[in-house]
C-alpha cells in the first residue's frame, strides 16, 4: 500500500473535512475546468480588425484544419486564471521555509522598473547606439556583482543557476584545454544538489563523490586523497547544503590549486554571506549566483531565473558570449569571438541574457546598498539560528553548533511514531505553511532543511515555531491519523503520483479517454456521456 | 529448479533450463516504492557481471539493475511495460526482468545464497 | 530598511535566545582572513524614489521599439500583448510562488502548465510538450542532445537556415560532450538531405528559416527516418504556427521553439520561453519539467510534476539534462495570451502578420536597388540592398527608423551577406511606419 491509498482510507473515516457542497466549490476555492473544456467556438478574448484579401506568399504551405485551441472571452479568461491563482501558496501569502531556495520577499518596485518601456520594449538586435542605457544597466549590475564577490570578471548570460553551473564547468574545461591539460574527473560532495553531478556529466566529466565528515562538512582528508593530475575541478557549495560554512575552505582551495585543478563554488547559498565574505578571498575560481535567490527576482512558479557566474582572472578569457566591455568610446557589446573575447567558449543561449532579471536584481541591490546587503546576510543567519535554538528540542538537529542561513533537521525525532518526514510536511501544509525542503541533502535520513530568509519578522518566525512544536508533539503522542490524512484543508488532497508516472497523461486531448475506477472530475461536471462543456464554467 | 542466488545490490538470479532469470528482491522493491517504469535491454545484448543491465524507476528514485553474471540477453519481461506494478506485487515471480544465456555458469557460485542474503539485508538496518 | 522586518529589539531578544552577544559569533566559521569588517565599496541603501530615478535615467537613454517605426525580428518579435496578460501574471500567487513540488498547494501552477503543454502540442502538431525551457536556442541544443541519446549516434547536421545563435548554442553544448556537428554555409543552399548518413543522429532545420523562407520538410523527414535519424524542426516565431503547416504534420520528431511572441515582451532578449515538443515514444528522453494529470485522495482530478526520474534531482549524473528551472512566469504569459486569442484570434493574428509582411515586401520591391530574396515568407523576409546593410541601418536609425537586422550582425565574417537585411512586419506595423521606412530607404539609397 502506498501513501495515497492510506490517505483514502483515512479520509473515509474522517467526515469533517468533506462537508460536500452541491458545486464541489468550497467558499473562495472554486473547482475550475481546463480552458479546453470551456470552449465557445467563435469566441475570442481579443478584437482583431477585418482583413482585406491579399495574395499569400506561403508557398502553398498554409495550415489546414484547426489547431484545436479553445475560444474564450476576456472575462472568462481573467476569471479562469484568477481562480487558478487562488489555489497556489506563495511568498506573498506566507512563510516559505524552503532550504536552499531563499524565498525572500519580491519587491514590487522591481516589477515596476522592469516594465519601463526603455527596458522592456527594446530589442537585442537594435543598433547598439540606440540602447546605451541597456549596456549601462548591465555594466552597473556587473560592477555590483564583481564587488560583492571580489572577482574580476562576471559572465551574465546564463539563464538559471543550473545554466550557470554549466557555464562555470565549461569555462574550466576550456581553460584546461587551452593549456593542453586533459583531466577527466570532477569531485562533488555527496551532499551537493543534483544539478552539480548532472552538470559535470553534461560537460563530459566523470564524477567522484566525496563524503561528509561527522560535522556535516566535506571530508577534507577524503577530498585531498582524491586530488590527482586527473582532477579538473572541485564543485563545492558554500555555505553547504546542510547550512554550514565550510571552515577549511581556504585549505581546500589551496590543495585543489596545488593539484592543478580549479575550484568551482555553487553560490546558491550566497544569502548567508553576501556583504560579509567575498568568494574571491576564499580561493574560489568561479561561482555562480542565483539572482532569483539572493537578489530577490521572483520565482514565478518555477522561473525565469538568472545565474551569472563570477570568474577569476585565469578563467575570465573563456567566458561565454556576449561580453560588455569598456572601450575607448564607451561601453561595447562583443557578440563574436573577436578581440578580448577571442578565447570565449561560445554561446550558451540566444541573445544577451536575462535582462528583465538584471533590472530587478539591480533595483534590489541599490535599494539595500552595501550596508543593507550586509544586514541581509546577518538577519538571514540570525533568523535561521533562532529557529534552530527554538526547535532543537522538538526536532532532531542533524549537526551541532550554529548554522548559517538555513538549518538541517532529520527524522530521528519521528522514530517509532509511524509518521514520516513526508507526513510531517503534509501536516504542516494544513497549518498554513509551505513545507520546508524534504529529503535533501541525501546525507541524512528524512532531511528537513529550513531557510526562513531575512524578510521574515520575529512574529512570523514565532508563529511558525509554534506550529512546528505542536506538530512534533502530536507526532510523539501518537496522533498518526492527522499526519496520514494530511493535507485535508487544501484545494486537493494527496495526489496519486504513481498513477501519473505509470500512465502519463501529459496534455488535454479532444476525445474523452475511458477512465477506469476513479472519476476525474466532480460529479457536477458531467464527464459521463463525453460532454465537453462545463455547466458551472465561467 | 536451481536455488536462488543474490547479489549485494539486491538482484536475484535462478537457473531455469539453460537460461538464468534475473529480478530484484522484495527488499529492493520495498525500498523503491511503487515502480512506475522499467527500462529493459534489447534481446541479444551482451551484459557483464556487475554492470548495468536494466533500470527500474519509481516516482522518487531510479535505480540501476546490475547483471549478477555475464551473459547474453535472451528474453525480457515485456509484461512490465504495461504493468510495472508486478515488480512490487510479485518481485520474485511475475516481476522478473530478464533471462540471460550464461557466459560462465561458475560465476553463480560467487553469489550469496538465500541465508547469506537475508543476513546481509538485516545488517542494513 | 524597508525590506528588513527585524527591529533592533528583535535582534537583541533573538541573540539572547541564542546565548550569544552579537551576530558576529554566528560567523565564527568564516576564516579570519576572509572576514569583511566593513560594507564593501558600493553605494549605501537608497529609497524607492532614488532607485527609480537612477534606473529610469538608464531606461530613458534607450530608443523603445514602440516609439519609432520598427522592423526588427531575427528571432525576437514585437507583438501586442493584451492588457490582461500582465495583470494576471503579476498576481502574487503566480509571481511569488515556487516550483510546484507540493502539488496540493500548487494546483494553480500545475493546471496552467498542463494547459501550456497542451497548447504547445496543438500548435506544433506534436504529441507531447514539456513545461518550457529557458529559450529557443537552449531548447534547440537540448533537442540535439536528446537526439544523441535516442539514436546513440554522435553526428548532428545543422542546416544553414538555422538561427546563428541557435547553432552556436548547439555547438557549445556539443563541444563539451565530444560530439560531431556539421554545419552548412548559410547561403550555399545545400540540401541537408544529402548529408544524412547512418551515423547521423538528427538534422536540424528551421521553419520559417533565419532568412524567412518557409518550406515543406516532409521529404527530408523521410530521408532522415530511412537512415534512422531524427528530424528536429526549430521555430523562432511561434505565431507562424497559426498560418503555416506545423512541423508535426511534416514528420518532425522533435520541435524546439521560441515562445516569446506570445505573451512576452522583447526584454532586450530575455527572459523568454523555450518550447520543446516530441512524440509520445520519446517522452522519457525529453528534458525539462513535465506536468501530468492524476487524481487525489478524494477522487478529484488534479495535476503533479511527473516523470521526474529523468531530472537532475533524482538521476544526478545520469539525468537527461542538468535543467532545474523552466521559464514559469513566461510560460504563464504565453498560456494566457493564447487563451485570449483562441483558435480564431490566433489564426487571424497570424494572417494579419503575414498580410503586413506581404504588403511591406511589395512596397520595398518597388524601391530601386532593393531585391527580395524570398520565394516564401511569413512575417519576416530578406532583401538585398545595393550596399552594406549595416551602414544603411545606421543611417536610418539616425533618422529615427529601426529598419531591420543586417545579416552581418550575426555573420560578421561572411562578405556574401553584407548587403542583406532581415525585415519583419507584425500586427504592430502601421501604414505610416511603412511609409517612413520606404521613404527613408529611397532617400538613403538615392
Amino acid at each position: 500500500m502506498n501513501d495515497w491509498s492510506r490517505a483514502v482510507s483515512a479520509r473515509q473515516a474522517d467526515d469533517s473535512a468533506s462537508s460536500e457542497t452541491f458545486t464541489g466549490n468550497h467558499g473562495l476555492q472554486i473547482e475550475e475546468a481546463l480552458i479546453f473544456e470551456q470552449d465557445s467556438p467563435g469566441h475570442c478574448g481579443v478584437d482583431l480588425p477585418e482583413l482585406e484579401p491579399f495574395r499569400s506568399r506561403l508557398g502553398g504551405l498554409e495550415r489546414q484544419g484547426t489547431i484545436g485551441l479553445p475560444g474564450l472571452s476576456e472575462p472568462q479568461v481573467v476569471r479562469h486564471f484568477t481562480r487558478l491563482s487562488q489555489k497556489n501558496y506563495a511568498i506573498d501569502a506566507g512563510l516559505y521555509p524552503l532550504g536552499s531556495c531563499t524565498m525572500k520577499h519580491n519587491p514590487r518596485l522591481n516589477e515596476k522598473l522592469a516594465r519601463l518601456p526603455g527596458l522592456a520594449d527594446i530589442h537585442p538586435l537594435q543598433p547598439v547606439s540606440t540602447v546605451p542605457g541597456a549596456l549601462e544597466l548591465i555594466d552597473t549590475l556587473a560592477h555590483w556583482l564583481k564587488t560583492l564577490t571580489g572577482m574580476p570578471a562576471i559572465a551574465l548570460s546564463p539563464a538559471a543557476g543550473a545554466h550557470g553551473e554549466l557555464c562555470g564547468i565549461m569555462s574550466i574545461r576550456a581553460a584546461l584545454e587551452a593549456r593542453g591539460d586533459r583531466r577527466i574527473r570532477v569531485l562533488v560532495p555527496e551532499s551537493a544538489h543534483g544539478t552539480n553531478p548532472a552538470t559535470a556529466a553534461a560537460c563530459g566529466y566523470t564524477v567522484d563523490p566525496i563524503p561528509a565528515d561527522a560535522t556535516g562538512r566535506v571530508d577534507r582528508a577524503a577530498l585531498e586523497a582524491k586530488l590527482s593530475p586527473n582532477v579538473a575541478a572541485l564543485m563545492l557549495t558554500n555555505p553547504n547544503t546542510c547550512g554550514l560554512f565550510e571552515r577549511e575552505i581556504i585549505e581546500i582551495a589551496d590543495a585543489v590549486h596545488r593539484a592543478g585543478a580549479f575550484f568551482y563554488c555553487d553560490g546558491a547559498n550566497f544569502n548567508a554571506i553576501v556583504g560579509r565574505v567575498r568568494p574571491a578571498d576564499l580561493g574560489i575560481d568561479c561561482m555562480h549566483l542565483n539572482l532569483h535567490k539572493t537578489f530577490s527576482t521572483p520565482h514565478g512558479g518555477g522561473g525565469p531565473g538568472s545565474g551569472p557566474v563570477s570568474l577569476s582572472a585565469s578563467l575570465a578569457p573563456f567566458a561565454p558570449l556576449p561580453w560588455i566591455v569598456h572601450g575607448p568610446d564607451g561601453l561595447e557589446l562583443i557578440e563574436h569571438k573577436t578581440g578580448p573575447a577571442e578565447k570565449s567558449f561560445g554561446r550558451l543561449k540566444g541573445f544577451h541574457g536575462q535582462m528583465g532579471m538584471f533590472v530587478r536584481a539591480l533595483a534590489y541591490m541599490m535599494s539595500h546598498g552595501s550596508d543593507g546587503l550586509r544586514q541581509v546576510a546577518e538577519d538571514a543567519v540570525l533568523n535561521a539560528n533562532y529557529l534552530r535554538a527554538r526547535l532543537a528540542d522538538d526536532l532532531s538537529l542533524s549537526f551541532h553548533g550554529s548554522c548559517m542561513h538555513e538549518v538541517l533537521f532529520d527524522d530521528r525525532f519521528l522514530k517509532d511514531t509511524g509518521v514520516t518526514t513526508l507526513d510531517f510536511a503534509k501536516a504542516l501544509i494544513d497549518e498554513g505553511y509551505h513545507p520546508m525542503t524534504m529529503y535533501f541533502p541525501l546525507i541524512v535520513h528524512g532531511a528537513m532543511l529550513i531557510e526562513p530568509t531575512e524578510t521574515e519578522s520575529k512574529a512570523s518566525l514565532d508563529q511558525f515555531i509554534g506550529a512546528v512544536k505542536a506538530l512534533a508533539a502530536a507526532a510523539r503522542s501518537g496522533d498518526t491519523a492527522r499526519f496520514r490524512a494530511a493535507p485535508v484543508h487544501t484545494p486537493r488532497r494527496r495526489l496519486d503520483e504513481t498513477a501519473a508516472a505509470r500512465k502519463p497523461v501529459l496534455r488535454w486531448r479532444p476525445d474523452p479517454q475511458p477512465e477506469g475506477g476513479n472519476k476525474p472530475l466532480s460529479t457536477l461536471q458531467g464527464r459521463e456521456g463525453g460532454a465537453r462543456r462545463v455547466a458551472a464554467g465561467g | 529448479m536451481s536455488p536462488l542466488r543474490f547479489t549485494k545490490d539486491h538482484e536475484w538470479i535462478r537457473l531455469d533450463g539453460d537460461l538464468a532469470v534475473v529480478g530484484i528482491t522484495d527488499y529492493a522493491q520495498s525500498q523503491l516504492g511503487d515502480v512506475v517504469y522499467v527500462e529493459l535491454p534489447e534481446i541479444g545484448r551482451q551484459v557483464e557481471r556487475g554492470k548495468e543491465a536494466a533500470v527500474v524507476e519509481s516516482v522518487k528514485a531510479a535505480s540501476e539493475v546490475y547483471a549478477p553474471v555475464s551473459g547474453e540477453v535472451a528474453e525480457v519481461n515485456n509484461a512490465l511495460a504495461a504493468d510495472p506494478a508486478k515488480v512490487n506485487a510479485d518481485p520474485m515471480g511475475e516481476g522478473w526482468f530478464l533471462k540471460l544465456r550464461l557466459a560462465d555458469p561458475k560465476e553463480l557460485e560467487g553469489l550469496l545464497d538465500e541465508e547469506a542474503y537475508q543476513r546481509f539485508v538485516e545488517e542494513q538496518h | 530598511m524597508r525590506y528588513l522586518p527585524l527591529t533592533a529589539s528583535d535582534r537583541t531578544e533573538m541573540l539572547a535566545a541564542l546565548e550569544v552577544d552579537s551576530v558576529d559569533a554566528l560567523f565564527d566559521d568564516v576564516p579570519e582572513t576572509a572576514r569583511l569588517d566593513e560594507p564593501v565599496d558600493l553605494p549605501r541603501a537608497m529609497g524607492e524614489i532614488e532607485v527609480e530615478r537612477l534606473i529610469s535615467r538608464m531606461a530613458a537613454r534607450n530608443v523603445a521599439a514602440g516609439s519609432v517605426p520598427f522592423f526588427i525580428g531575427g528571432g525576437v518579435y514585437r507583438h501586442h500583448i493584451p492588457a490582461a496578460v500582465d495583470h494576471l501574471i503579476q498576481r502574487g500567487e503566480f509571481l511569488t510562488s515556487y516550483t510546484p513540488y507540493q502539488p496540493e498547494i500548487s494546483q494553480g501552477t500545475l493546471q496552467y502548465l498542463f494547459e501550456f503543454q497542451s497548447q504547445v502540442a496543438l500548435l506544433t502538431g506534436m504529441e507531447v510538450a514539456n513545461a518550457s525551457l529557458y529559450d529557443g536556442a537552449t531548447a534547440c541544443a537540448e533537442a540535439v542532445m536528446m537526439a544523441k541519446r535516442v539514436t546513440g549516434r554522435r553526428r548532428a547536421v545543422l542546416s544553414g537556415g538555422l538561427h546563428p545563435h541557435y547553432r552556436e548554442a548547439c555547438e557549445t553544448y556539443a563541444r563539451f560532450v565530444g560530439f560531431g556537428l556539421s554545419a552548412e554555409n548559410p547561403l550555399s543552399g545545400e540540401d541537408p538531405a544529402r548529408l544524412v548518413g547512418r551515423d547521423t543522429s538528427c538534422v536540424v532545420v528551421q521553419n520559417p528559416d533565419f532568412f524567412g523562407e518557409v518550406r515543406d520538410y516532409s521529404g527530408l523527414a523521410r530521408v532522415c527516418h530511412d537512415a534512422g535519424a531524427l528530424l528536429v524542426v526549430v521555430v523562432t516565431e511561434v505565431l507562424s504556427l497559426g498560418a503555416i503547416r506545423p512541423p508535426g504534420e511534416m514528420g518532425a520528431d522533435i520541435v524546439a521553439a521560441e515562445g516569446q511572441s506570445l505573451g512576452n515582451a522583447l526584454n532586450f532578449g530575455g527572459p523568454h520561453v523555450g518550447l520543446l515538443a516530441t512524440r509520445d515514444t520519446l517522452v522519457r528522453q525529453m528534458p525539462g519539467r513535465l506536468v501530468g494529470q492524476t487524481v487525489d485522495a478524494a477522487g478529484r482530478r488534479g495535476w503533479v510534476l511527473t516523470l521526474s526520474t529523468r531530472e537532475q534531482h533524482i538521476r544526478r549524473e545520469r539525468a537527461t539534462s542538468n535543467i532545474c528551472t523552466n521559464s514559469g512566469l513566461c510560460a504563464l504569459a504565453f498560456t494566457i495570451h493564447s487563451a485570449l486569442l483562441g483558435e480564431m484570434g490566433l489564426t487571424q493574428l497570424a494572417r494579419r502578420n503575414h498580410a503586413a509582411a506581404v504588403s511591406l515586401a511589395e512596397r520595398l520591391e518597388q524601391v530601386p536597388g532593393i531585391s527580395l530574396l524570398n520565394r516564401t515568407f511569413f512575417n519576416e523576409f530578406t532583401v538585398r540592398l545595393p550596399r552594406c546593410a549595416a551602414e544603411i541601418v545606421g543611417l536610418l536609425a539616425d533618422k529615427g527608423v529601426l529598419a531591420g537586422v543586417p545579416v552581418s550582425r550575426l555573420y560578421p565574417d561572411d562578405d556574401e551577406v553584407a548587403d542583406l537585411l532581415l525585415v519583419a512586419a507584425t500586427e504592430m506595423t502601421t501604414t505610416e511606419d511603412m511609409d517612413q521606412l520606404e521613404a527613408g530607404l529611397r532617400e538613403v539609397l538615392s
Side-chain angles (χ1 to χ4, degrees):
Chain A
M1 265 177 99
N2 58 16
D3 287 326
W4 170 70
S5 42
R6 271 202 293 271
V8 169
S9 314
R11 179 218 160 217
Q12 284 159 352
D14 157 33
D15 278 318
S16 59
S18 60
S19 41
E20 261 319 310
T21 56
F22 297 107
T23 55
N25 301 329
H26 293 108
L28 291 175
Q29 276 298 323
I30 308 293
E31 290 293 305
E32 181 63 12
L34 293 165
I35 46 174
F36 302 94
E37 294 160 335
Q38 301 180 50
D39 180 23
S40 307
H43 259 72
C44 189
V46 305
D47 290 312
L48 286 168
E50 288 294 317
L51 262 183
E52 298 292 321
F54 65 99
R55 190 175 64 105
S56 162
R57 304 280 287 263
L58 293 175
L61 290 170
E62 284 78 2
R63 187 163 188 149
Q64 310 293 331
T66 57
I67 303 168
L69 294 173
L72 293 92
S73 65
E74 180 176 315
Q76 278 178 286
V77 172
V78 172
R79 185 167 289 168
H80 175 77
F81 289 98
T82 300
R83 286 174 173 173
L84 292 192
S85 76
Q86 291 166 331
K87 299 170 192 303
N88 273 3
Y89 193 87
I91 299 174
D92 281 358
L95 166 64
Y96 222 123
L98 279 175
S100 281
C101 296
T102 313
M103 304 297 290
K104 64 174 71 183
H105 171 71
N106 305 131
R108 288 318 198 276
L109 173 65
N110 305 353
E111 296 305 310
K112 179 180 181 186
L113 296 175
R115 288 168 164 83
L116 291 171
L119 297 172
D121 197 20
I122 50 175
H123 191 292
L125 298 176
Q126 284 181 216
V128 174
S129 60
T130 65
V131 288
L135 299 193
E136 183 192 347
L137 191 143
I138 297 173
D139 184 60
T140 308
L141 176 78
H143 173 68
W144 278 72
L145 294 176
K146 285 188 290 190
T147 310
L148 287 168
T149 57
M151 307 283 267
I154 188 142
L156 287 172
S157 63
H163 214 208
E165 287 177 36
L166 210 54
C167 174
I169 297 302
M170 285 181 177
S171 303
I172 289 171
R173 188 160 156 175
L176 288 169
E177 283 174 8
R179 72 181 198 215
D181 198 345
R182 196 179 168 266
R183 294 167 179 244
I184 56 165
R185 312 198 81 83
V186 167
L187 308 183
V188 180
E190 284 173 352
S191 60
H193 193 273
T195 49
N196 288 182
T199 297
C203 290
Y205 287 113
T206 323
V207 174
D208 267 339
I210 314 284
D213 65 18
T215 76
R217 294 167 178 82
V218 74
D219 185 329
R220 182 174 150 205
L223 193 160
E224 292 187 4
K226 293 240 165 116
L227 283 171
S228 77
N230 230 342
V231 171
L234 164 68
M235 294 177 82
L236 190 75
T237 308
N238 186 50
N240 68 24
T241 59
C242 303
L244 305 168
F245 193 95
E246 292 285 355
R247 291 189 276 244
E248 301 183 290
I249 189 167
I250 291 184
E251 289 87 344
I252 289 171
D254 288 340
V256 168
H257 292 140
R258 275 197 306 272
F262 286 95
F263 187 176
Y264 173 87
C265 182
D266 181 321
N269 292 329
F270 194 50
N271 206 49
I273 57 174
V274 61
R276 287 203 57 127
V277 184
R278 284 180 312 203
D281 297 335
L282 301 174
I284 286 163
D285 294 304
C286 58
M287 187 179 93
H288 88 270
L289 297 160
N290 297 76
L291 296 188
H292 48 288
K293 295 187 180 183
T294 317
F295 299 105
S296 89
T297 73
H299 284 87
S306 174
V309 183
S310 55
L311 298 164
S312 65
S314 53
L315 292 176
F318 307 98
L321 298 170
W323 290 23
I324 291 184
V325 300
H326 289 254
D329 302 313
L331 290 172
E332 284 171 26
L333 176 69
I334 303 185
E335 297 176 283
H336 304 280
K337 297 184 196 178
T338 58
E342 64 180 349
K343 292 203 226 140
S344 162
F345 71 70
R347 272 187 182 280
L348 272 175
K349 73 183 288 291
F351 311 105
H352 313 323
Q354 308 281 70
M355 179 67 164
M357 319 327 281
F358 299 160
V359 179
R360 291 169 170 88
L362 184 61
Y364 173 84
M365 289 194 286
M366 286 177 161
S367 297
H368 285 78
S370 58
D371 50 337
L373 287 170
R374 193 179 160 90
Q375 191 69 59
V376 162
E378 291 177 4
D379 285 357
V381 169
L382 179 58
N383 276 358
N385 278 283
Y386 181 66
L387 288 181
R388 175 184 61 81
R390 295 283 314 275
L391 291 173
D393 295 331
D394 306 273
L395 308 181
S396 35
L397 201 56
S398 299
F399 300 105
H400 294 299
S402 62
C403 56
M404 300 299 291
H405 66 312
E406 58 192 0
V407 53
L408 180 63
F409 299 98
D410 54 58
D411 63 1
R412 282 171 295 149
F413 76 101
L414 291 172
K415 192 168 145 71
D416 300 326
T417 60
V419 176
T420 63
T421 289
L422 178 75
D423 296 329
F424 194 86
K426 299 301 185 188
L428 193 56
I429 291 176
D430 272 334
E431 301 299 324
Y433 292 100
H434 191 285
M436 62 288 276
T437 296
M438 303 184 291
Y439 301 108
F440 176 81
L442 300 172
I443 59 169
V444 303
H445 201 270
M448 299 181 187
L449 187 63
I450 302 180
E451 179 185 356
T453 84
E454 74 285 358
T455 59
E456 293 303 318
S457 67
K458 181 171 172 298
S460 165
L461 296 180
D462 287 334
Q463 285 177 340
F464 178 70
I465 288 164
V468 173
K469 278 182 180 297
L471 285 177
R476 277 194 304 273
S477 75
D479 182 8
T480 45
R482 164 198 301 275
F483 293 92
R484 299 297 188 79
V488 301
H489 297 298
T490 45
R492 283 295 178 265
R493 309 281 298 276
R494 289 202 207 186
L495 290 131
D496 189 349
E497 300 191 18
T498 300
R502 281 185 180 156
K503 304 252 182 278
V505 174
L506 303 172
R507 57 171 284 188
W508 176 83
R509 285 186 185 281
D511 298 312
Q513 303 285 348
E515 299 287 343
N518 296 315
K519 282 202 288 282
L521 294 174
S522 73
T523 47
L524 192 71
Q525 290 176 351
R527 208 61 156 113
E528 290 88 351
R532 283 175 53 211
R533 293 289 188 86
V534 175
Chain B
M1 213 162 67
S2 81
L4 278 170
R5 296 266 175 187
F6 298 84
T7 69
K8 288 195 174 169
D9 291 311
H10 310 289
E11 292 100 11
W12 58 261
I13 182 166
R14 169 187 87 225
L15 275 180
D16 193 4
D18 55 347
L19 297 178
V21 191
V22 176
I24 64 171
T25 66
D26 188 49
Y27 175 79
Q29 72 78 21
S30 69
Q31 290 293 301
L32 270 174
D34 293 336
V35 173
V36 302
Y37 184 73
V38 176
E39 195 183 298
L40 296 167
E42 327 81 72
I43 310 280
R45 182 165 135 213
Q46 302 295 331
V47 296
E48 244 182 84
R49 180 181 59 177
K51 296 276 165 72
E52 179 195 313
V55 181
V56 57
E57 290 183 23
S58 67
V59 170
K60 297 296 183 200
S63 244
E64 278 72 44
V65 176
Y66 300 105
V69 297
S70 312
E72 184 186 300
V73 177
E75 265 181 67
V76 295
N77 187 355
N78 289 309
L80 294 184
D83 193 7
K86 282 189 202 286
V87 177
N88 298 111
D90 189 11
M92 315 297 294
E94 284 195 26
W96 64 274
F97 278 55
L98 48 105
K99 295 188 185 176
L100 294 177
R101 190 159 285 116
L102 297 184
D104 180 7
K106 283 209 287 296
E107 281 179 339
L108 284 170
E109 290 161 28
L111 301 174
L112 302 171
D113 65 18
E114 186 141 16
E115 222 187 285
Y117 176 69
Q118 290 304 339
R119 262 185 317 207
F120 173 68
V121 167
E122 270 148 45
E123 280 161 24
Q124 302 285 302
H125 286 110
Chain C
M1 212 276 123
R2 61 189 182 281
Y3 302 129
L4 299 174
L6 291 188
T7 64
S9 74
D10 286 335
R11 294 191 185 105
T12 311
E13 253 188 86
M14 292 162 78
L15 287 170
L18 294 172
E19 295 173 355
V20 295
D21 288 325
S22 96
V23 79
D24 287 335
L26 302 173
F27 287 84
D28 266 350
D29 280 345
V30 178
E32 273 196 57
T33 52
R35 292 179 200 169
L36 296 174
D37 297 320
E38 295 294 320
V40 297
D41 184 18
L42 286 167
R44 302 291 161 122
M46 294 178 225
E48 271 200 42
I49 300 176
E50 208 185 333
V51 174
E52 199 168 327
R53 181 182 300 137
L54 282 171
I55 294 193
S56 299
R57 214 178 274 155
M58 294 186 208
R61 296 180 66 203
N62 302 325
V63 176
S67 65
V68 294
F70 181 86
F71 299 90
I72 303 179
V76 177
Y77 299 92
R78 186 163 192 273
H79 293 286
H80 171 71
I81 303 175
V85 175
D86 206 38
H87 278 281
L88 287 166
I89 68 171
Q90 288 189 82
R91 289 184 70 88
E93 301 94 327
F94 287 136
L95 186 74
T96 74
S97 60
Y98 188 62
T99 308
Y101 289 128
Q102 299 291 345
E104 301 90 339
I105 47 176
S106 323
Q107 287 298 296
T109 298
L110 289 160
Q111 186 170 339
Y112 85 67
L113 285 176
F114 185 79
E115 294 174 345
F116 171 83
Q117 287 171 192
S118 307
Q119 289 167 335
V120 173
L122 289 168
L123 282 166
T124 56
M126 303 297 285
E127 291 174 337
V128 62
N130 75 7
S132 80
L133 297 172
Y134 308 136
D135 72 346
T138 49
C140 181
E142 291 285 353
V144 169
M145 297 298 117
M146 182 176 159
K148 171 175 168 266
R149 284 192 298 276
V150 169
T151 63
R153 301 174 182 181
R154 307 193 137 247
R155 189 175 147 263
V157 174
L158 308 182
S159 84
L162 181 62
H163 191 294
H165 286 188
Y166 288 49
R167 175 175 50 75
E168 288 169 43
C170 289
E171 285 171 349
T172 303
Y173 276 64
R175 166 183 167 186
F176 292 96
V177 198
F179 203 85
L181 282 187
S182 333
E184 304 161 27
N185 176 278
L187 287 192
S188 71
E190 171 145 30
D191 183 3
R194 304 185 63 211
L195 296 172
V196 178
R198 303 246 72 159
D199 61 340
T200 308
S201 60
C202 65
V203 176
V204 183
V205 293
Q206 181 175 315
N207 207 29
D209 77 4
F210 177 68
F211 300 92
E213 196 74 26
V214 179
R215 292 188 184 84
D216 183 354
Y217 287 109
S218 317
L220 178 60
R222 278 190 291 276
V223 169
C224 286
H225 296 151
D226 285 345
L230 302 185
L231 179 63
V232 177
V233 177
V234 167
V235 181
T236 59
E237 169 49 298
V238 70
L239 187 61
S240 69
L241 296 171
I244 300 175
R245 192 180 309 165
E249 288 176 30
M250 291 183 184
D253 299 293
I254 308 174
V255 176
E258 174 54 64
Q260 171 268 323
S261 286
L262 289 172
N264 291 279
L266 302 175
N267 278 320
F268 203 52
H272 289 162
V273 52
L275 314 178
L276 196 67
T278 189
R279 298 192 271 104
D280 281 333
T281 49
L282 301 180
V283 73
R284 284 192 142 84
Q285 292 303 323
M286 186 164 68
R289 297 205 181 114
L290 273 173
V291 173
Q293 185 169 299
T294 186
V295 289
D296 80 338
R300 295 169 297 186
R301 178 177 69 176
W303 291 276
V304 291
L305 289 178
T306 192
L307 301 189
S308 332
T309 47
R310 305 154 305 122
E311 292 184 66
Q312 46 69 29
H313 62 285
I314 292 177
R315 291 305 292 275
R316 296 173 71 91
E317 57 261 39
R318 305 183 64 93
T320 49
S321 165
N322 80 332
I323 278 197
C324 201
T325 15
N326 65 344
S327 207
L329 210 67
C330 298
L332 175 60
F334 178 104
T335 308
I336 298 173
H337 193 177
S338 302
L340 285 166
L341 286 170
E343 182 83 26
M344 208 175 72
L346 200 142
T347 45
Q348 261 275 67
L349 181 62
R351 285 189 70 235
R352 185 115 189 273
N353 271 251
H354 185 50
V358 166
S359 167
L360 181 59
E362 281 168 4
R363 291 178 66 156
L364 293 185
E365 280 179 299
Q366 307 303 317
V367 176
I370 297 186
S371 55
L372 175 71
L373 292 196
N374 298 60
R375 190 183 66 88
T376 58
F377 55 87
F378 170 61
N379 67 359
E380 184 170 35
F381 51 83
T382 307
V383 292
R384 187 181 292 282
L385 303 177
R387 56 176 202 276
C388 172
E391 190 214 318
I392 292 172
V393 164
L395 291 171
L396 287 169
D398 292 338
K399 292 180 186 304
V401 174
L402 293 177
V405 184
V407 173
S408 58
R409 173 99 184 240
L410 291 114
Y411 287 107
D413 302 322
D414 194 336
D415 291 332
E416 270 189 56
V417 302
D419 298 344
L420 300 187
L421 180 70
L422 299 183
V423 182
T426 71
E427 76 283 4
M428 302 297 280
T429 315
T430 63
T431 319
E432 292 73 30
D433 291 334
M434 296 195 210
D435 292 340
Q436 286 195 253
L437 177 63
E438 189 189 335
L441 282 167
R442 282 182 189 276
E443 196 190 318
V444 160
L445 294 178
S446 65

